[in-house]
Each structure stands twice: as C-alpha cells, then as structure tokens.
C-alpha cells in the first residue's frame, strides 16, 4: 500500500491544468455498448475508475484502448456477454451504468447489485424502476439484478427519489431510451453537467434528446446509434479541489481547462469565505485573503453545492475565523473525514446530517486514514495547510478519481510525496 507524506505550510503558486471529468467519462464509455461503430473520446482522465470501466467493457465485448494520454478508442467487438460480475461491480459502483445500454442493445442485462459503501447506503431502485416502467422484466438472482426486454417502450416517468434526482439512474434511463420504441420523458431528471455531457455524446451518435441539463429530459427512440468523436467536459470536482488547495495555502494559482458555469454554487460560497476567484482569458485565477470567513453550506443536487466537494470545503472551513455549518443532504453519512480532521486539531462536532465547524488558528500534521475518494482529497488539503508532517494512508481511494494529484500539487510548490508502506 502507498501513502502520501506532506510537509504543510507552502503557499501554492503556478498553473494547473484540470483533467476531464471522471463522472462524465464513465457513463459515456458505457454508452459505447449502444453504438455500431467506433468512438473516439478526448480529455479522458487517467484515473483508476476509467481503467476499471475499460476492464469491465472488455469483458462485455467492447474493445477500449488508450491511444495516448487522454485519448481513447472504443468499439464493440462481440455482444455475447451481458453479465457485469460482482468482482468488478464491487470495486466501482459506476459499473451500474452498463445496465441501461446492455438492456437496450442486447435485450438482457445482468448486473451484480452494488452494496453500500463508505459514504453510506447507495440504493439503485430508481435504475430498475425506470427500466421496468419501460417494459423490462426485473429479477434478483444470487445478488445479481437480471433485466430482460425484447423491446423497450418509451414512457413518461417520474425519476425522483427521497434525496432528489439520481445522476446515474438518469444516465441509465436516458441511454436505454435512445433505442426504445417511441418517446420517453424523464421528470425529475438529474441536471448535473455530466448528464448533459452524456446527452451531448449520445446526440453526436444519432440519438434524439432534448431538455438535457433541465429536470425534464425527452428522448425519442431511434433504430440505431453510430460511434462519435467527443471531448469530455472538464472535471468540476477536481477544479473545486484545486481552488480550495489554492485558498487553504493562501496561494495564487491559475487553473486552465475549467468551466466556471459548472461551479457557480461553489464559487458563490467560497467568495463569501474570502477566496478571490477571477475569470481570466483561458481559465481562472484563484488567490485568498488572509482572513477566512465562516459560512453555512448545504449540499444539494446540481446547481446546488455538490456533495463531492463537501469534505474538501470542510477542510478549508476548519481554518475560518468563527463557526461554520455544513449539512449533507445527499449522503447524510458522508462524514468519515470528520474524525480524521479532528486528529489534525480541527474542532468538528457532528449532529445528525450537520457538522458544526469551530474554526481553529492552525491544523497540525498527523497520521490519518483516507476512507473514500473525496475524504482523501480533504485530508490532503488539510495536510497542505497543517504545521508539520501529515501522512495520508490508503491513498488508493484518491487514485480512483484524481489524476496524479501529488504530481500536480508538487508542480505548484506543494511538498508532497508518494511513499510505499
Ligand atoms: N438514490 C436513491 N435511489 C436510487 C439511486 C439514488 O434513493 O435508486 C439516492 C442516493 O442514496 C443519494 C441520491 O439519491 O441520496 C443521489 O444519488 P445518485 O444516484 O445521484 O448518485 P450516483 O449516481 O450513484 C453520482 C456520482 C457520485 C456523486 C453522486 C451525487 C458518478 C459515477 N457518481 O453517484 O460521485 O456523489 O452522483 O452527485 O457519477 C464521487 O465522484 O466521489 C462520487 C461519489
């Protein structure tokens, strides 16, 4: 196993290029199951989850090869296997994105039921309910969801759950609907930019979709889809993480390949904290005043404050001048970073789905354990600001979703090293 060793206290300075969005790349790769010809994808991040999706697609008869950094070629070679097995699904929940495409194109999908994970319960009922409404038979066999349908039918459906819309359920239904008979309308669809990017890809393949990026998406089924050439949108969560890295070190950093319109809630909140975020010619300049103001944040579906930046923002608020409140409305148990940040001298108190953050003058280096992707990022950020040395253990979590984060941080002055245990 590997760990990061960080000597905190350096102000970050320089330019960082943001990679393509992991959460856009994964469903778009899965969508290639639907296509008759080759797809070329640009701006694909080199992260473990992308390699994992390529491995799963390989088992499902889709040749997925990386041609050069960021550039992937995908093409269906055979359509015999429709089974996404436990061994692969248990490593990556986004594997569920193959369900809609397999069902629509091969008339059968067998996908191991993903369990809970470190960020809490992650039900998948909306995925199967939506596909059942389109005419699929759904069964649970030995822990696998088995779906069958000779032909899916377009239908009007409400896809909202108890916590609002679902990103990957919207993706699955939208992908399945592209080849269904007639019109599908998804009400309470996820509005996340990654869903809109998937729609843009599907449209380039020949799909008929309108309303992407809004809570009502309409899809008119077509007979077939061809492959297409597509550029993945920049990763708004990686961008947000680097904005906070600049802020927490009182740095002065320029970020390129970033779309600020995907980060409006984050920019709004961070400006209230005192972070200076200015659009420049080819990106965004970030710097920070010395005094951080406390704020209140509540995570929400897009365009609200993203749950995937909750932990990182909490690390920053640890150093604010006063008490902040952080409420998690998407995953009420996504707080495993709280105890680890407290080991670094933070004053955090959890009360139900809310954490009260009492700002402290400084954080101190410590041994801490990463529990999931975004919690790992929060601990690295805290380590960058802390006095002394921080060791972040179990960093395989971070490699799932950030491309060589330590190399990028070191390139703007951070003292961070990857060390083998
Ligand atoms: N939900 C249900 N029923 C369902 C599905 C979801 O109640 O059938 C609930 C969830 O429990 C949660 C809420 O709906 O409370 C939203 O979950 P969603 O389905 O949108 O999450 P997801 O599609 O599984 C994606 C991202 C996550 C991100 C969430 C929320 C991908 C591959 N994953 O997950 O990303 O946190 O949306 O924005 O796109 C990450 O990158 O670190 C990550 C966890």
């Amino acid at each position: 196993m590997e760990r990061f060793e960080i000597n905190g206290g350096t102000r970050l300075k320089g330019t960082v290029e943001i990679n393509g969005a992991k959460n856009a790349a994964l469903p778009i790769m899965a969508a290639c199951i639907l296509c008759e010809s080759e797809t070329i994808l640009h701006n694909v991040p080199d992260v473990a989850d992308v390699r994992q999706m390529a491995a799963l697609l390989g088992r499902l008869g889709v040749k997925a090869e990386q041609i050069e950094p960021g550039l992937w070629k995908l093409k269906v070679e055979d359509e015999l296997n429709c089974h996404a097995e436990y061994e692969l699904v248990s490593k990556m929940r986004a594997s569920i994105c193959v369900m809609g495409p397999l069902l629509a194109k091969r008339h059968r999908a067998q996908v191991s039921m993903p369990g809970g994970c470190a960020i809490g319960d992650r039900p998948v009922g909306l995925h199967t309910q939506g596909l059942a409404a389109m005419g699929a038979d759904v069964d649970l066999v030995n822990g696998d969801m088995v779906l069958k349908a000779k032909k899916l039918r377009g239908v009007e459906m409400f896809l909202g759950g108890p916590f609002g819309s679902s990103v990957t359920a919207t993706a699955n239904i939208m992908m399945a609907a592209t080849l269904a008979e007639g019109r599908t309308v998804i009400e309470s669809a996820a509005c996340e930019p990654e869903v809109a990017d998937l729609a843009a890809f599907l449209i380039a393949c020949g799909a008929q979709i309108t309303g992407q990026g809004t809570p009502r998406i309409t899809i008119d089924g077509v007979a077939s889809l061809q492959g297409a050439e597509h550029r993945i949108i920049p990763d708004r969560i990686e961008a947000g993480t680097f904005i906070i890295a600049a802020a927490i070190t009182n740095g002065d950093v320029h970020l390129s390949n970033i779309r600020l319109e995907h980060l409006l809630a984050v920019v709004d909140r961070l400006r209230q904290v005192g972070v200076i975020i200015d659009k420049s010619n080819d990106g965004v300049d970030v710097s920070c005043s010395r005094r951080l103001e406390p704020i209140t944040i509540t995570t929400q579906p897009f365009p609200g404050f993203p749950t995937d930046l909750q932990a990182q923002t909490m690390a920053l608020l640890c150093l604010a001048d006063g008490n902040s409140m952080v409420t998690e409305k998407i995953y009420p148990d996504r707080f495993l970073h709280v105890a680890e940040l407290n080991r670094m001298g933070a004053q955090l108190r959890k009360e139900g789905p809310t954490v009260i953050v009492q700002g402290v003058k400084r954080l101190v280096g410590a041994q801490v354990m990463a529990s999931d992707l975004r919690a790992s990022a929060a601990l690295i950020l805290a380590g960058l600001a802390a006095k002394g040395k921080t060791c972040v253990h179990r960093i395989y979590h971070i490699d799932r979703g950030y491309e060589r984060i330590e190399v990028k941080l070191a390139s703007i002055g951070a003292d961070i090293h990857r060390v083998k245990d």
Side-chain angles (χ1 to χ4, degrees):
M1 277 219 254
E2 293 177 325
R3 64 180 185 275
F4 282 139
E5 290 189 358
I6 306 164
N7 289 302
T10 321
R11 292 183 65 188
L12 301 186
K13 208 167 178 2
T15 297
V16 170
E17 186 178 345
I18 299 304
N19 287 106
K22 163 187 86 92
N23 289 346
L26 297 174
I28 289 175
M29 290 172 79
C32 292
I33 291 173
L34 296 163
C35 300
E36 305 290 343
S37 54
E38 187 176 278
T39 282
I40 304 281
L41 297 178
H42 300 268
N43 206 30
V44 178
D46 186 14
V47 296
D49 274 7
V50 161
R51 294 189 287 275
Q52 189 73 30
M53 180 57 85
L56 171 60
L57 289 174
R59 299 263 190 106
L60 296 172
V62 183
K63 189 167 175 203
E65 25 170 12
Q66 189 182 18
I67 309 300
E68 58 183 63
L71 183 67
W72 283 70
K73 201 160 82 176
L74 299 98
K75 185 166 189 309
V76 175
E77 296 205 317
D78 79 64
E79 301 198 311
L80 288 177
N81 188 16
C82 298
H83 188 184
E85 288 164 82
Y86 178 73
E87 175 207 341
L88 288 172
V89 177
S90 59
K91 286 194 187 131
M92 184 183 68
R93 301 184 53 87
S95 305
I96 199 169
C97 291
V98 301
M99 190 156 80
L102 284 176
L103 182 66
K105 187 68 176 39
R106 304 184 189 178
H107 314 294
R108 180 187 163 90
Q110 181 171 355
V111 180
S112 176
M113 177 96 113
C117 70
I119 67 178
D121 284 347
R122 307 230 0 226
V124 290
L126 292 173
H127 299 245
T128 48
Q129 276 164 39
L131 294 169
M134 297 173 75
D137 285 333
V138 183
D139 222 341
L140 186 64
V141 182
N142 296 331
D144 287 348
M145 296 172 282
V146 181
L147 292 90
K148 291 182 209 152
K150 278 212 175 63
K151 186 76 191 165
L152 293 170
R153 293 185 308 273
V155 62
E156 194 156 339
M157 67 175 81
F158 177 78
L159 203 63
F163 295 94
S165 54
S166 162
V167 175
T168 48
T170 303
N172 252 328
I173 306 302
M174 190 166 71
M175 289 189 279
T178 58
L179 294 183
E181 212 168 69
R183 173 169 285 192
T184 303
V185 178
I186 311 175
E187 284 288 3
S188 194
C191 302
E192 269 69 4
E194 293 77 16
V195 175
D197 199 32
L198 170 63
F201 170 69
L202 291 168
I203 290 167
C205 296
Q208 295 200 359
I209 303 175
T210 55
Q212 65 274 18
T214 77
R216 181 184 167 94
I217 302 179
T218 302
I219 308 112
D220 286 306
V222 295
S224 65
L225 296 179
Q226 296 303 316
E229 190 161 354
H230 178 79
R231 187 174 179 80
I232 306 286
I233 53 168
D235 195 315
R236 62 193 167 105
I237 306 301
E238 189 198 18
T241 304
F242 274 90
I243 291 175
I244 297 170
I248 206 168
T249 61
N250 272 310
D252 190 351
V253 172
H254 175 76
L255 301 174
S256 63
N257 193 34
I258 172 172
R259 304 248 312 248
L260 224 42
E261 69 271 26
H262 294 165
L263 280 159
L264 291 181
V266 177
V267 169
D268 174 70
R269 298 280 80 194
L270 291 181
R271 279 187 177 145
Q272 289 200 16
V273 174
V275 185
I276 299 159
I277 303 171
D278 289 325
K279 220 171 162 122
S280 69
N281 282 348
D282 70 327
V284 169
D285 293 322
V286 187
S287 57
C288 195
S289 59
R290 291 228 155 250
R291 186 166 186 271
L292 300 176
E293 299 289 340
I295 51 163
T296 295
I297 60 168
T298 302
T299 64
Q300 283 168 337
F302 189 83
F305 197 95
T307 172
D308 291 342
L309 282 171
Q310 177 257 108
Q312 301 90 316
T313 309
M314 194 184 292
L316 178 67
L317 295 178
C318 287
L319 294 167
D321 202 357
N323 292 349
S324 298
M325 286 226 297
V326 176
T327 301
E328 178 54 71
K329 284 268 175 86
I330 309 291
Y331 299 114
D333 294 326
R334 194 178 203 176
F335 284 130
L336 284 177
H337 43 283
V338 164
E340 301 303 301
L341 288 170
N342 280 344
R343 301 191 77 249
M344 299 178 72
Q347 292 280 336
L348 307 176
R349 198 174 76 247
K350 185 173 168 311
E351 286 187 7
T354 297
V355 169
I356 296 154
V357 183
Q358 194 185 326
V360 293
K361 283 266 173 303
R362 68 162 58 139
L363 294 170
V364 286
Q367 307 269 339
V368 287
M369 190 78 83
S371 55
D372 74 87
L373 172 57
R374 309 302 172 186
S376 320
L379 297 176
I380 292 173
L381 293 172
L384 292 174
K387 187 172 162 49
K389 182 167 153 184
T390 296
C391 290
V392 183
H393 297 272
R394 298 207 180 157
I395 57 171
Y396 54 83
H397 290 292
I398 200 129
D399 292 331
R400 291 187 42 204
Y402 289 88
E403 182 174 322
R404 288 177 275 278
I405 192 168
E406 79 283 17
V407 175
K408 289 173 110 171
L409 286 169
S411 77
I412 49 174
D415 184 347
I416 176 170
H417 299 277
R418 185 181 287 259
V419 179
K420 277 208 173 357
D421 281 343

